[in-house]
Amino acid sequence: MGDAFPRGPEEITTDWLSKHVGGTVGSFDVEQIGIGVGLLGRLYRLELSGDDVPASVIAKFPTLDEGARMNVVEPLNFYSKEVQFYNEAAKDTPIPTPQVYFASHDRESGDFSLLLEDLGDRRMCDQNAGCLFADAKVAVDAIVDLHATWWSSDRLVSMPWIPAFVEPPYPQVLAGMFKQSWPRALEVAGEGMGDAYKDFGDRFPELVEWFATEASRPPVTFCHGDYRLDNLFFGITDDHAPLTVVDWQICLRARGGYDMGYFVSQSLSTEDRRTHETALRDRYLEGIANRGIDYPEAAFDADYRRTTAWCFIYPVVATGQIEVTNERHRELVKAMTARAIQAIEDNDALELLPS
């Protein structure tokens, strides 16, 4: 059983806040934020009044979607993993993350609570609209720093809560998720989907173990796992870090091309990706090489292209396992689907699949 903590905004008290933010909270107001952005959690901004307290903080709690919790979150330990990241790994991660005031997970109930720095004074971009090239370069530089710091690190082995894709139950759970989600995904986002991609979707569950095995071959590094525009906050003043990254619940051990393939295929509009994809890939490889890491271009190319094919799973599971609660959420999964398909096609990623 974890430490006692609120399971939702209605359970937050001034005493609990005062204990963790380092001052005396006299009162607070609550506003839900991030609706349609965070797919597996609820986010709230708390405006604080009191002595020596921040003006606001962010509280994160489990989703109310019991199906998503049962079929996605709990089998893959997403909530416990994010809590462990903030408690054990954030301090050694070169990408800035929000200050954490409180992070705890109850293994018995599966509930968790995070109390984090409010990044509302940073610039957040709309993933549906897509990432500008200037912002994409900042994001690539940050992922180079993350990957280089943890490249083949012995510490990865000492933190078993950071899984490799190939470790059970990951392949088995993900294959099951996709198979269950696929019919619903076809209903929501299948209009105009070509036969090749419908065939790919039909075959996808039997390919999961192959994807997982390839993504887990050494050398591996610490990957964010959900490195997309909705999770990136860009600095706007000299006091801000260029980039601060949130939502670490899908972090994993994988090859570096995984985060890159995921980010570029999911966070840029198709037009911008086609224009800037080569430059961004070259920027990553140059950055890794400048850190003294040997990552052959051919190996990166295979990892990157294979990941663009793998990313087909994300809009499918987001549609089929997570309740679509509003129009922004619906547009997000449609955009994810369209971008995934176009990236697969442009990179000839289906050609890499085993026969």
Side-chain angles (χ1 to χ4, degrees):
M1 179 75 71
D3 296 335
F5 57 83
R7 266 61 172 176
E10 68 282 352
E11 297 183 16
I12 297 174
T13 66
T14 55
D15 287 344
W16 183 77
L17 287 171
S18 298
K19 179 180 179 181
H20 297 292
V21 300
T24 301
V25 178
S27 63
F28 63 93
D29 294 319
V30 180
E31 174 193 8
Q32 187 169 9
I33 61 172
I35 300 172
V37 175
L39 302 181
L40 293 173
R42 291 175 293 148
L43 296 172
Y44 298 87
R45 174 171 286 118
L46 310 180
E47 302 280 354
L48 308 182
S49 298
D51 297 326
D52 298 321
V53 299
S56 60
V57 293
I58 300 297
K60 185 175 182 179
F61 300 107
T63 178
L64 296 178
D65 184 343
E66 290 300 325
R69 285 191 66 168
M70 182 180 358
N71 297 321
V72 180
V73 173
E74 292 179 7
L76 300 181
N77 299 314
F78 282 172
Y79 292 159
S80 64
K81 194 165 33 166
E82 185 165 35
V83 167
Q84 286 178 287
F85 168 80
Y86 280 113
N87 286 333
E88 297 182 31
K91 65 182 184 300
D92 297 322
T93 298
I95 296 181
T97 61
Q99 178 182 352
V100 57
Y101 299 103
F102 178 85
S104 190
H105 173 258
D106 184 341
R107 292 188 179 278
E108 184 175 322
S109 67
D111 291 335
F112 82 104
S113 178
L114 288 175
L115 193 63
L116 302 170
E117 174 188 5
D118 186 0
L119 302 175
D121 60 346
R122 320 295 166 94
R123 181 168 55 87
M124 189 177 184
C125 305
D126 185 351
Q127 188 169 325
N128 286 347
C131 188
L132 297 175
F133 181 49
D135 290 336
K137 290 189 290 185
V138 173
V140 169
D141 291 346
I143 211 66
V144 166
D145 285 343
L146 177 69
H147 290 175
T149 297
W150 292 90
W151 198 273
S152 297
S153 172
D154 292 340
R155 284 204 61 201
L156 290 172
V157 179
S158 70
M159 293 188 289
W161 55 268
I162 307 174
F165 253 154
V166 76
E167 294 175 6
Y170 253 70
Q172 295 78 17
V173 170
L174 291 169
M177 285 181 191
F178 189 99
K179 188 173 183 178
Q180 187 178 42
S181 303
W182 181 232
R184 173 61 176 159
L186 280 173
E187 290 179 13
V188 173
E191 184 178 355
M193 188 182 296
D195 289 342
Y197 294 96
K198 291 179 180 178
D199 291 343
F200 179 43
D202 291 341
R203 188 186 173 197
F204 198 97
E206 69 187 54
L207 294 170
V208 168
E209 188 169 357
W210 174 79
F211 278 120
T213 299
E214 294 299 315
S216 303
R217 294 190 188 281
V220 296
T221 187
F222 188 115
C223 286
H224 180 275
D226 195 19
Y227 201 68
R228 58 187 177 90
L229 197 55
D230 276 353
N231 291 328
L232 310 183
F233 289 78
F234 296 89
I236 58 175
T237 72
D238 292 340
D239 294 334
H240 293 159
L243 186 71
T244 303
V245 180
V246 301
D247 206 347
W248 294 83
Q249 61 190 6
I250 307 181
C251 61
L252 71 156
R253 284 179 282 145
R255 295 179 65 85
Y258 179 85
D259 272 340
M260 273 295 293
Y262 183 97
F263 169 71
V264 175
S265 67
Q266 294 297 307
S267 293
L268 278 72
S269 69
T270 297
E271 180 180 358
D272 283 344
R273 177 187 53 74
R274 287 170 173 167
T275 301
H276 302 299
E277 189 166 24
T278 298
L280 293 173
R281 286 165 46 114
D282 290 346
R283 189 181 187 92
Y284 176 86
L285 284 172
E286 182 178 353
I288 286 290
N290 287 341
R291 300 292 290 269
I293 295 170
D294 180 21
Y295 193 179
E297 184 174 357
F300 171 77
D301 181 69
D303 295 337
Y304 180 98
R305 293 170 61 208
R306 187 171 52 249
T307 301
T308 63
W310 167 257
C311 283
F312 193 66
I313 192 173
Y314 290 104
V316 170
V317 170
T319 306
Q321 295 284 349
I322 303 168
E323 183 181 358
V324 178
T325 55
N326 56 62
E327 189 58 30
R328 203 275 177 182
H329 188 165
R330 183 179 299 275
E331 290 304 313
L332 176 58
V333 296
K334 285 184 177 180
M336 290 171 71
T337 303
R339 287 176 186 169
I341 289 174
Q342 289 297 331
I344 291 168
E345 189 166 312
D346 291 345
N347 284 279
D348 294 323
L350 296 187
E351 291 186 359
L352 299 177
L353 302 183
S355 57

